[in-house]
C-alpha cells in the first residue's frame, strides 16, 4: 500500500498513506465507496457527513480496503 492513484476504467481512487501518523485516506472519483467492502462501519470513517466520497481510517483497516480494491481489478496509475 502506498500513496498513489488507483484506476479501473473511468473510476479512480486517490490514496494517501501516512505511515508516520498511521493513517490512510481514500478519495473516490466516478464512484461511491461501497459500504459492504469496508470493514466495520464506513460512516464512522467518513470525514464530515457531507463528504460521502471520502474514507479516512487507520493504516490497518486501510490495508484491508486497499486489498479489496486491488482484488476488484484496480491498478496503480501513478
Amino acid at each position: 500500500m502506498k500513496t498513489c492513484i488507483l484506476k479501473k476504467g473511468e473510476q479512480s481512487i486517490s490514496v494517501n498513506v501516512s505511515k508516520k501518523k498511521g493513517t490512510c485516506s481514500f478519495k473516490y472519483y466516478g464512484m461511491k465507496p461501497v459500504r459492504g467492502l469496508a470493514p466495520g462501519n464506513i460512516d464512522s470513517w467518513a470525514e464530515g457527513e457531507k463528504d460521502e466520497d471520502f474514507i479516512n481510517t487507520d493504516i490497518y483497516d486501510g490495508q484491508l480496503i486497499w486489498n479489496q480494491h486491488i482484488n476488484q481489478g484496480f491498478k496503480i496509475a501513478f
Side-chain angles (χ1 to χ4, degrees), residues 23-70:
T23 61
C24 183
S25 63
F26 298 84
K27 175 69 176 169
Y28 294 81
Y29 301 92
M31 63 184 286
K32 300 277 187 203
V34 178
R35 295 182 188 279
L37 294 177
N41 181 357
I42 200 170
D43 293 328
S44 65
W45 298 345
E47 195 156 286
E49 291 180 19
K50 296 182 181 182
D51 197 352
E52 298 173 355
D53 301 333
F54 187 78
I55 295 174
N56 185 29
T57 189
D58 65 52
I59 205 155
Y60 302 107
D61 284 343
Q63 183 67 57
L64 294 173
I65 295 167
W66 168 277
N67 291 344
Q68 289 167 340
H69 289 314
I70 296 300

Side-chain angles (χ1 to χ4, degrees), residues 1-9 11-17 19 26 63 65-78:
M1 181 172 60
K2 63 181 185 175
T3 297
C4 66
I5 302 290
L6 296 176
K7 188 157 180 65
K8 181 172 104 175
Q11 301 172 332
S12 63
I13 307 166
S14 174
V15 182
N16 186 1
V17 178
K19 292 184 180 178
F26 298 84
Q63 183 67 57
I65 295 167
W66 168 277
N67 291 344
Q68 289 167 340
H69 289 314
I70 296 300
N71 289 340
Q72 289 177 321
F74 280 86
K75 305 288 183 198
I76 299 172
F78 52 91

